[in-house]
């Protein structure tokens, strides 16, 4: 949780002159959020989120992310909408950083996932996938198989600091995935969220009120997005896999967007890949986060345990998914 | 900046059942704030601040702080109002910590103090002092002269880590203050805010929209509160003292509450005491903040430089205050 870039009141007031959203009444740094600095903003007209993009976000990717949110919001997906300035631009500079104002969404991220969250999530994910069908921009997934190898090479000399023998285990998994990962055309592709963890999904009561944080969105297998969600939502705190949650998610997903037999068969390997992706990025952050950093890194071993679980699965039926 | 205690959505929803303020629509941790954890809360009725009191706040003091805010709000001082539950209580427990919901105030804390802020501040401070005149509760200042000695004893073995020779300088200053500090009845007393830094004052345009964070409030010399403000608001970033700001603050203060000659004469020593108080608490936090803490401690040397400045002053006229 962090606000990395401090914004002075006078520079924020000057910044707001580029927009037609009223005069500043309040702003507060938001503690949640790891990648970027976010402020909750109130004007005399409405509430907004101000995001300052920090170093981990590539400036060249921002037009893709903002256009994607524009596109999704325009077709009725509940997600933040970039606010365009009087000049039409949504992206500008504040306090030396790229910055955008987006609409504020009500809703609450579940801190504890319940089975009742999983069907709405599957449906919302499928809605989003259908809605990106006619979105023409693309963005390469910069955290896919070749990048896992690079991340691993960077981390492996210190992997034992996370757990003894971890480097060997990951090496074996990487070799397996390099041999068995799916070819580009093997499954339907599209724009995926790629980071739809519970803290990026807002609920009001039992309904989803919005999906947020599209800053990992990219072009990839649609089924890979579902695998990321299954890993993020369907394991209990004690490491056990909750079949009921996964079934709810899958079944509600395919009520909206048909899920082919090929996609279903691919779920076990997609789950392994997704588990390795988050194990590697968490391990990287764990080993490289600066002393005194404002963010407590996520536990990489959570995803190591998920990976180990999936290594024992060959067919979706073994996960209760049919 | 930090949220120390995480609150799960289901426990917050259960907590809100004790109140008559609507159903939860959104909550976000606020990055600003050092002592306690604060959340910005929206229900379908209104916006609020949820505060979880962390270890540095003495539970026994909370009824004083909350009653003070109740009292001030009731007589028209713009400050947060504690929200009382259906049972009449404002203080209860959440996530294992004492917790209260207070009203949300609009306004913006000046990141850069301008001379135009200082007259409204003096007036608001005097308003607050007059308003506490008929407040019957008292609270001993636990950061006054005897406590400075205790803090110093705790820090002096490591004071050289902050600056070479600092322990000797503070020892001399403490001896001076122990000899020259004012007797209990020397000046008018009352309830003071005791921490009215710019981040605790909200402005809308040129007007103050609220004073916040009463968690250091205590019974002490009213003029000591003004001295704390002069130190916090009237020095420039380069360490120079801005007489114009201090004059604006004092003159607008005494338009509301008469300031006696004794109080004026005492300003130089009150400024020294106030500078030492913040030097010592900042030094304590600087030396003792845990590795990986979420809060970047304030620079103690800022207040050492202010103390050095005041050591050269005997009479208020030398500061341009007459």
């Amino acid at each position: 949780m962090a606000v990395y870039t401090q914004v002075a009141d006078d520079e924020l007031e000057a910044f707001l002159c580029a927009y037609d959203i009223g005069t500043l009444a309040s702003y507060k740094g938001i503690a949640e959020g790891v990648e970027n600095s976010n402020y909750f903003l109130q004007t005399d007209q409405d509430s907004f989120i101000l995001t300052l993009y920090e170093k981990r976000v590539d400036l060249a990717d921002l037009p893709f992310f903002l256009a994607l949110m524009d596109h999704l919001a325009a077709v009725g997906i509940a997600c933040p909408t970039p606010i365009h300035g009087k000049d039409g631009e949504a992206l500008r500079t504040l306090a030396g950083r790229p910055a955008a104002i987006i609409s504020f969404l009500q809703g609450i991220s579940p801190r504890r996932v319940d089975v009742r969250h999983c069907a709405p999530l599957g449906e919302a994910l499928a809605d989003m996938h259908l809605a990106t069908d006619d979105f023409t921009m693309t963005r390469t997934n910069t955290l896919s198989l070749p990048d896992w190898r690079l991340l691993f090479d960077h981390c492996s000399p210190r992997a034992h600091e996370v757990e003894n023998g971890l480097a060997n285990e990951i090496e074996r998994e990487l070799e397996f995935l390099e041999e068995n990962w799916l070819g580009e055309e093997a499954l339907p592709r599209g724009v995926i969220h790629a980071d739809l963890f519970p803290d990026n999904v807002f609920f009001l009561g039992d309904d989803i009120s919005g999906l947020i944080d599209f800053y990992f969105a990219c072009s990839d297998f649609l089924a890979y997005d579902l695998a990321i969600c299954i890993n993020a939502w369907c394991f209990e705190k004690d490491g056990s896999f909750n079949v009921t949650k996964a079934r709810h998610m899958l079944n509600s997903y395919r009520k909206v967007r048909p899920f082919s037999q090929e996609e279903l068969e691919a779920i076990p390997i997609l789950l392994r890949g997704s588990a390795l992706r988050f194990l590697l990025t968490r391990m990287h952050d764990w080993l490289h986060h600066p002393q005194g950093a404002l963010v407590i890194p996520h536990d990489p071993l959570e995803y190591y345990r998920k990976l180990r679980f999936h290594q024992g699965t060959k067919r979706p039926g073994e996960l209760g998914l049919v």
Side-chain angles (χ1 to χ4, degrees), chain A residues 64-85:
Chain A
F64 172 86
F65 299 138
L66 294 170
L68 175 61
M69 288 188 271
D70 267 335
H71 176 88
L72 292 173
V75 297
I77 302 291
C79 72
T81 317
I83 308 297
H84 293 255

Side-chain angles (χ1 to χ4, degrees), chain A residues 164-197:
Chain A
N164 257 333
L166 189 57
N168 285 340
E169 294 289 333
I170 296 178
E171 175 59 40
R172 265 203 297 278
E173 180 67 18
L174 263 175
E175 286 170 12
F176 170 83
L177 290 173
E178 282 162 348
E179 205 151 307
N180 294 281
W181 196 247
L182 302 128
E184 276 233 347
E185 303 303 318
L187 300 173
R189 299 175 65 87
V191 174
I192 69 169
H193 184 286
D195 194 40
L196 204 51
F197 278 61

